[in-house]
Structure formats: C-alpha cells, structure tokens
Amino acid sequence: MVSVSMTVNGKSVTREVEDRTLLVSFLREDLGLTGTHVGCDTSQCGACVVHLDGQAVKACTMLAAQADGCTVVTIEGLAKGDQLHPVQAAFREHHGLQCGFCTPGMIMTAVDMIRRHDGKLDEATIRHELEGNICRCTGYHNIVKAVQAAADEMSGATQAAAE
C-alpha cells in the first residue's frame, strides 16, 4: 500500500491504495468519479482522458502513485456549477455525442487541444489530434464540428478579453 495525495477537481484528497492501482481506477472506485471511462485498458481508445497538471493524459496508463502531488481535472471538474464548459456546451449544441461513452475523453482531449493551439484549429488538425480517441458510433463529423465551434468561441472570448 502507498499513500497518494493530489488535488482532484479542486479538492485535496489523500488515500491509501495498492501500489499497482491505476489512476483511472483510483478516480472511479476510490473517489466515485465515474465520468472517466474505462474502454480498452490498453490506452488506445481515449475514454479515460483526464488532465494532469493541465495536460491531457490517459488515466489507464498511469498509476495513481504517479499522480501523487499533482492536480487532476476530470470531466466532472470542467463545468462551473450549472454552467457547462464551452467544449461541453458545443458538444451538446452540435450533437457531438451519440451513445456518450467516448464523450468525456473526447471533451477532455478537445479542451487540451484548444489550449495548446490557442484556439486556432482547422478540421485537419482536429481530426489528427483526435486520432487517439475512438468513437464506435462513428460520430466524428459532429465531434469535429463541436470542437471547431468551441475553439472558435474560446478564441473569440480570449481575443475579446485581450482588447
């Protein structure tokens, strides 16, 4: 057993876990944050993407102990109360989900993508960046539209704040 302490969605947590506990298992089983999905257990589907110290990571490939001392944001931590994050709102507006299983990972990947590209994204870049996330419902067209809309909105908001 090892003690892990981290900040998850703005709250400090400390737990004793087995050394081999994956971050995705820690989030789901120990903290009850089931929005982070387990899809493939091989890091190929992207359903488990969370942000670790501001960067997207696949939580099924990390041990909880590796996140000790870090800040983790899950899909549950994006919205501010009843106000959806712009990417969540864009997925809803542009029908960027079908069954919803891949949606949390897609959204977390998109938020990181938009941040890294300062909101300046084109369709080819979005499609390339989403290659590590699988949608089995073939909803990519609307997912790409949602990411583009969110990037445009967030880029406009950033630009307006700078002026």
Side-chain angles (χ1 to χ4, degrees), residues 15 43 50 52 70 79 91 99 105 109 135 158 163:
R15 300 284 194 284
S43 81
V50 298
L52 181 75
C70 295
F91 267 66
C99 80
T109 297
C135 173
T158 304
E163 292 173 352

Side-chain angles (χ1 to χ4, degrees), residues 24 27 36-39 43 45-50 57-61 104-105 133:
V24 69
L27 294 170
T36 303
H37 294 162
V38 178
S43 81
C45 76
C48 66
V49 173
V50 298
V57 299
K58 293 182 178 178
C60 75
T61 61
N133 294 69

Side-chain angles (χ1 to χ4, degrees), residues 108-122:
M108 298 305 286
T109 297
V111 170
D112 181 62
M113 176 192 328
I114 292 166
R115 178 194 55 80
R116 285 183 292 103
H117 291 277
D118 294 322
K120 298 174 184 98
L121 292 167
D122 58 24

Side-chain angles (χ1 to χ4, degrees), residues 21-162:
T21 301
L22 294 173
L23 179 58
V24 69
S25 300
F26 177 73
L27 294 170
R28 291 180 59 82
E29 297 164 19
D30 290 72
L31 302 183
L33 298 170
T34 57
T36 303
H37 294 162
V38 178
C40 65
D41 280 333
T42 60
S43 81
Q44 298 192 22
C45 76
C48 66
V49 173
V50 298
H51 293 175
L52 181 75
D53 290 339
Q55 296 187 356
V57 299
K58 293 182 178 178
C60 75
T61 61
M62 281 192 73
L63 298 172
Q66 290 175 287
D68 187 45
C70 295
T71 298
V72 178
V73 177
T74 69
I75 190 72
E76 292 93 343
L78 282 186
K80 302 294 183 220
D82 288 342
Q83 183 165 355
L84 295 176
H85 184 279
V87 177
Q88 291 171 308
F91 267 66
R92 182 179 65 186
E93 175 74 22
H94 295 278
H95 309 288
L97 55 98
Q98 287 184 33
C99 80
F101 191 81
C102 72
T103 305
M106 289 282 188
I107 289 173
M108 298 305 286
T109 297
V111 170
D112 181 62
M113 176 192 328
I114 292 166
R115 178 194 55 80
R116 285 183 292 103
H117 291 277
D118 294 322
K120 298 174 184 98
L121 292 167
D122 58 24
E123 183 178 343
T125 302
I126 294 168
R127 289 185 180 278
H128 174 73
E129 294 261 347
L130 289 177
E131 284 181 359
N133 294 69
I134 296 173
C135 173
R136 289 180 172 88
C137 299
T138 67
Y140 290 103
H141 180 70
N142 288 340
I143 290 169
V144 171
K145 282 179 22 182
V147 174
Q148 184 70 67
D152 292 346
E153 179 185 332
M154 291 170 72
S155 170
T158 304
Q159 205 170 44

Side-chain angles (χ1 to χ4, degrees), residues 12-23:
S12 294
V13 297
T14 300
R15 300 284 194 284
E16 292 287 324
V17 297
E18 286 190 40
D19 297 359
R20 64 181 183 207
T21 301
L22 294 173
L23 179 58

